Amino acid sequence: MEDGCEDEVLTSEELLAVLAAIGHPIRLRVIAELAAGQVHVSELARRLGVSRPLLYMHLERLEKAELVHGRLELSPDGKALKYFELAPFHLTLTPDTVLAALRADQQETRHD
Amino acid sequence: MEDGCEDEVLTSEELLAVLAAIGHPIRLRVIAELAAGQVHVSELARRLGVSRPLLYMHLERLEKAELVHGRLELSPDGKALKYFELAPFHLTLTPDTVLAALRADQQETRHD
DNA sequence: TCCACCTGTAATATTCAACTTACAGGTGGA
DNA sequence: TCCACCTGTAAGTTGAATATTACAGGTGGA
């Protein structure tokens, strides 16, 4: 059975982006909320007790790291709602994965 | 065969500390250097091309997260050297581990 | 003695993520 | 029309992490 998870080789830059994206109290809670199913921005802001512009920034950060995915959807009554859903991720963190990331950087610079 | 690695249940606070500790370009390289064996501070600073006071701060951060461990050692000729070594860590990052961390927080607050 | 190493910290700048506030615009329904 | 929702962004502020510089002190050996 296949699933769309990662465990691909990340460059250190990508690794750092993911670590920074997950590593924030609000973003942890965003991930937790989205784990239960998709939610639109205003509703999510209400649940977390966070201002909407602030939530926007956090969602942006999570989306850039490809941990969540947002999509504009029209509700039955014609109102536009921005739904976000979780991108199931799987990342292992050990000395070896750190070494692998730094090795991946050197591969990168060779293709320039 | 046993090893001293983690995969214990972390609170979100502990999880965030580890993520922040690993999530910095210099600290990634520190981990990589120490993966090959213990190194003393001045030597490590030279290898990374980083000032010693700056390196001190990064090592402090890594040590607080228990990712590295420092110990003062006397060389054969009587000079004091501060050696750092890597604490082998193993951390899995998925939506479920995030949920588990937030659940662990609630356990914490009940024991107050 | 002086030099070449080393440890350790305090005080200060600088940079950047995080957060707030305020705005402009859209829809459907009362 | 007004109200209650929604999306989206452009300021500006603040505060913590990062980084620099400068200092005080120790050792062994030439």
Side-chain angles (χ1 to χ4, degrees):
Chain A
M1 187 182 284
E2 299 182 1
D3 64 38
C5 287
E6 291 143 63
D7 263 342
E8 41 178 326
V9 180
L10 300 174
T11 65
S12 71
E13 198 173 357
E14 292 166 333
L15 176 60
L16 288 170
V18 174
L19 292 181
I22 298 181
H24 187 283
I26 291 181
R27 294 195 285 265
L28 284 185
R29 294 171 59 210
V30 168
I31 291 172
E33 284 293 336
L34 295 187
Q38 62 168 26
V39 188
H40 69 83
V41 178
S42 291
E43 168 64 17
L44 186 54
R46 248 177 274 124
R47 288 192 198 171
L48 298 177
V50 159
S51 80
R52 198 169 46 82
L54 179 56
L55 181 56
Y56 259 82
M57 188 223 283
H58 288 302
L59 286 170
E60 206 170 276
R61 229 171 141 69
L62 286 167
E63 192 164 34
K64 272 185 190 159
E66 298 186 337
L67 295 173
V68 305
H69 173 244
R71 122 191 81 85
L72 202 55
E73 195 170 293
L74 285 144
S75 64
D77 56 338
K79 291 186 178 170
L81 299 178
K82 178 89 170 200
Y83 274 96
F84 274 87
E85 63 186 4
L86 195 57
F89 55 91
H90 183 89
L91 183 59
T92 305
L93 231 45
T94 67
D96 280 342
T97 61
V98 172
L99 285 167
L102 291 170
R103 244 180 283 124
D105 294 349
Q106 299 176 331
Q107 299 293 324
E108 282 286 298
T109 51
R110 275 174 197 151
H111 307 316
D112 60 355
Chain B
M1 187 184 280
E2 298 183 3
D3 65 37
C5 286
E6 291 145 64
D7 261 344
E8 40 178 326
V9 180
L10 299 175
T11 64
S12 73
E13 198 174 356
E14 292 166 333
L15 175 61
L16 289 171
V18 175
L19 291 180
I22 298 180
H24 187 284
I26 291 183
R27 294 196 284 265
L28 283 185
R29 293 171 59 209
V30 168
I31 292 172
E33 285 292 338
L34 296 187
Q38 62 168 30
V39 187
H40 69 82
V41 178
S42 291
E43 169 65 16
L44 186 53
R46 246 176 276 124
R47 289 193 199 170
L48 298 178
V50 159
S51 79
R52 199 169 45 80
L54 180 57
L55 181 56
Y56 259 81
M57 186 225 283
H58 287 302
L59 286 170
E60 206 171 277
R61 226 170 142 68
L62 286 167
E63 192 164 33
K64 273 184 191 161
E66 298 186 336
L67 294 174
V68 306
H69 173 245
R71 118 192 85 85
L72 202 54
E73 195 171 294
L74 284 144
S75 65
D77 58 338
K79 290 186 178 172
L81 299 177
K82 178 89 170 199
Y83 275 97
F84 274 87
E85 64 185 3
L86 195 59
F89 55 90
H90 182 89
L91 183 59
T92 305
L93 232 44
T94 67
D96 280 343
T97 63
V98 172
L99 285 167
L102 292 171
R103 245 179 283 122
D105 293 349
Q106 299 177 330
Q107 299 293 323
E108 283 285 298
T109 51
R110 277 175 196 151
H111 307 317
D112 59 355

